[in-house]
Amino acid sequence: MLTNVKQRPVTKKQKQMLEDIQAELDLCYIPTSFGAVRHHCVKTNTHTQKGARQDVVGTVVIGSTRTESACQKRHPQLMRLFKKFMKDHAPDFKFRTVYINIDTMCDAHFDHKNSGESLLIGFGDYSGGETWLFKMQADGSMKPYQYDISRKSISFDGSKIMHSSQKFTGKRYSLVFFR
């Protein structure tokens, strides 16, 4: 495994919190990624996936201005649920933005706009869908390391470590917490 990746197990209480988040997400408008021209959707190739949905809660940078995301304005209750979960799961982890992925499979990419570590957690009724983090080898090749984010969260610097998600069956949600 990679030495600069932190894993945190999900407790029974936290699993229930994630189920509550899932129920709330199912009531919210989270736009489809299919056919979207948004930068992140194209970069991760989710714009080619029917059924994939993505949005961002918290603050975003548009140009040089930090502002509330449209999803934050539509669904302020989501950030309250995210903060409650993180207070229990990783109280030392600082974030101001949460990227929501529903039924997405992301191609290998870097998160150039993230600052420092990101924390990634998966939930829902799915199998497969592991996250791969890539490490450059001496010969220049990239070696993938596999992480099951449905049982443990992982934190890593997504601007420095290339990452992707793998095929899955079922309903897969993931949250990316970052600054």
Side-chain angles (χ1 to χ4, degrees):
M1 293 294 169
L2 295 168
T3 58
N4 51 348
V5 175
K6 296 178 190 150
Q7 295 183 289
R8 293 175 177 90
V10 176
T11 66
K12 189 174 182 178
K13 176 184 175 186
Q14 293 161 8
K15 186 174 181 185
Q16 180 59 56
M17 293 171 142
L18 290 170
E19 288 174 7
D20 294 344
I21 289 170
Q22 178 179 334
E24 190 63 34
L25 287 172
D26 287 342
L27 298 174
C28 294
Y29 170 70
I30 307 296
T32 184
S33 302
F34 184 67
V37 293
R38 296 185 306 267
H39 174 75
H40 195 266
C41 297
V42 173
K43 177 174 72 169
T44 60
N45 204 34
T46 59
H47 71 296
T48 65
Q49 300 169 28
K50 291 184 178 179
R53 296 174 18 223
Q54 295 176 302
D55 214 338
V56 62
V57 173
T59 61
V60 293
V61 177
I62 299 174
S64 61
T65 306
R66 183 166 287 283
T67 187
E68 273 192 348
S69 70
C71 189
Q72 174 68 33
K73 293 174 185 173
R74 280 192 317 271
H75 306 293
Q77 75 280 12
L78 290 175
M79 186 56 87
R80 288 190 292 273
L81 289 171
F82 298 155
K83 285 179 178 179
K84 180 180 175 185
F85 170 76
M86 288 297 282
K87 185 177 179 182
D88 194 76
H89 182 68
D92 57 326
F93 190 88
K94 305 293 183 221
F95 68 97
R96 61 177 142 205
T97 309
V98 182
Y99 206 87
I100 301 165
N101 295 291
I102 302 173
D103 291 339
T104 62
M105 189 177 75
C106 296
D107 283 355
H109 66 283
F110 293 98
D111 295 323
H112 295 290
K113 292 188 177 184
N114 294 15
S115 174
E117 284 193 340
S118 298
L119 184 140
L120 173 62
I121 184 77
F123 54 100
D125 186 17
Y126 71 95
S127 60
E130 293 82 4
T131 295
W132 283 8
L133 304 181
F134 296 88
K135 181 177 181 182
M136 178 74 73
Q137 302 299 297
D139 65 2
S141 65
M142 298 294 275
K143 180 178 179 179
Y145 291 85
Q146 182 172 293
Y147 295 86
D148 181 354
I149 61 167
S150 70
R151 293 180 180 85
K152 294 179 182 177
S153 68
I154 57 172
S155 53
F156 62 97
D157 189 335
S159 69
K160 295 179 181 168
I161 299 175
M162 184 181 292
H163 52 285
S164 68
S165 54
Q166 302 306 300
K167 291 182 182 180
F168 61 92
T169 57
K171 188 80 170 170
R172 182 181 182 270
Y173 299 76
S174 68
L175 302 173
V176 183
F177 297 81
F178 61 97
R179 285 192 154 276

